[in-house]
Amino acid sequence: MGVSTSAPEEGVAVVTVDFPPVNALPVQGWYDLAAAVRAAGADPDVRCVVLTAEGRGFNAGVDIKEMQRADGPEALIGANRGCFEAFAAVYECEVPVVAAVQGFCLGGGIGLVGNADAIVASDDASFGLPELDRGALGAATHLARLVPQHLMRTLYYTSRTVTAQELHRHGSVWSVVPRDRLSGAALELAREIAAKDGYLIRLAKAAINGIDPVDVRRSYRFEQGFTFEANLSGVADRVRDTFGKDKEQQA
């Protein structure tokens, strides 16, 4: 259990997340993931990183139970900072990152794949931000990199999900394959990228990041401020405890 790194073939590093049962990461897990991705990208022998996960789904966001067990704001602050570091590590990885997504990709998972360079998904994959049902805000910055603006807003406000096939039609998912072919498909794409010159591929990654129209670090940090406000106001706890139904609205 945890985050591990392997090197299945020349030029490719695979960072695997494994936090049963649903890959909802605790605070330390986000930091461990950030460190693993940064280390893989800094390895001069690596020219592409594959980000993948074990189990039923790719990522279910933060470990809400960890926050509920905490008496003070430390767990929330830790989750905010940990997610920020993990998302930034994927975006700033010195080489391209291919996300291999199966099953559910929710909350923090959107932050990871939205900052990846390419996405390969299984045919049972779904993507969404149930943040409003969890008393949180955030990662709209990254969802906006996957779908058009008005669809992003509707998905965000409704907490609905979209399928891998829908994202493929929007052009944000490279390919959709049966689950048993996901690893092979991700490695196939990574292999093609890793065939490029290592120095040149690093220049390419830096150049493409440099022309991005949105500063994803600043944009996401802005969103996080509203998550903290929701917690300070008490509405976050109310919504989390009622699974997305505000008690005041039910009265």
Side-chain angles (χ1 to χ4, degrees), residues 57-108:
F58 177 77
N59 189 282
V62 304
D63 185 348
I64 293 179
K65 292 181 180 179
E66 182 181 44
M67 287 195 292
Q68 290 176 324
R69 289 193 298 266
D71 293 329
E74 290 78 14
L76 172 63
I77 293 172
N80 273 10
R81 290 180 175 175
C83 285
F84 183 83
E85 289 301 322
F87 300 171
V90 172
Y91 184 78
E92 295 167 356
C93 183
E94 295 179 35
V95 298
V97 176
V98 175
V101 180
Q102 85 278 9
F104 45 81
C105 178
L106 304 171

Side-chain angles (χ1 to χ4, degrees), residues 36 42 52 62-63 65-66 83 88 93 95 103 126 130 168 171 186 194 202 233 235 238 241:
T52 187
V62 304
D63 185 348
K65 292 181 180 179
E66 182 181 44
C83 285
C93 183
V95 298
S126 60
H168 183 257
R202 283 170 165 77
S233 70
V235 67
R238 280 203 310 275
D241 291 344

Side-chain angles (χ1 to χ4, degrees), residues 59-235:
N59 189 282
V62 304
D63 185 348
I64 293 179
K65 292 181 180 179
E66 182 181 44
M67 287 195 292
Q68 290 176 324
R69 289 193 298 266
D71 293 329
E74 290 78 14
L76 172 63
I77 293 172
N80 273 10
R81 290 180 175 175
C83 285
F84 183 83
E85 289 301 322
F87 300 171
V90 172
Y91 184 78
E92 295 167 356
C93 183
E94 295 179 35
V95 298
V97 176
V98 175
V101 180
Q102 85 278 9
F104 45 81
C105 178
L106 304 171
I110 295 295
L112 296 172
V113 303
N115 271 357
D117 295 276
I119 304 168
V120 177
S122 63
D123 53 13
D124 66 346
S126 60
F127 302 74
L129 284 178
E131 309 308 276
L132 292 183
D133 289 344
R134 294 177 176 176
L137 298 166
T141 294
H142 311 93
L143 184 60
R145 296 167 67 83
L146 303 177
V147 298
Q149 182 70 210
H150 283 83
L151 179 54
M152 178 276 287
R153 289 172 179 255
T154 304
L155 292 172
Y156 197 88
Y157 297 146
T158 62
S159 298
R160 291 193 184 192
T161 60
V162 290
T163 65
Q165 292 84 352
E166 289 174 294
L167 291 189
H168 183 257
R169 289 196 292 271
H170 285 296
S172 49
V173 165
W174 175 255
S175 64
V176 181
V177 298
R179 184 184 276 232
D180 61 0
R181 290 182 49 206
L182 178 62
S183 178
L187 281 174
E188 181 180 1
L189 177 58
R191 187 181 304 121
E192 185 174 351
I193 294 170
K196 308 300 181 185
D197 179 84
Y199 183 72
L200 193 59
I201 200 69
R202 283 170 165 77
L203 289 180
K205 177 67 182 278
I208 291 175
N209 278 7
I211 63 171
D212 250 337
V214 174
D215 182 335
V216 294
R217 288 174 62 97
R218 184 175 64 184
S219 179
Y220 178 56
R221 198 61 171 156
F222 179 82
E223 289 186 74
Q224 285 187 313
F226 289 95
T227 296
F228 204 70
E229 181 177 331
N231 277 267
L232 287 174
S233 70
V235 67

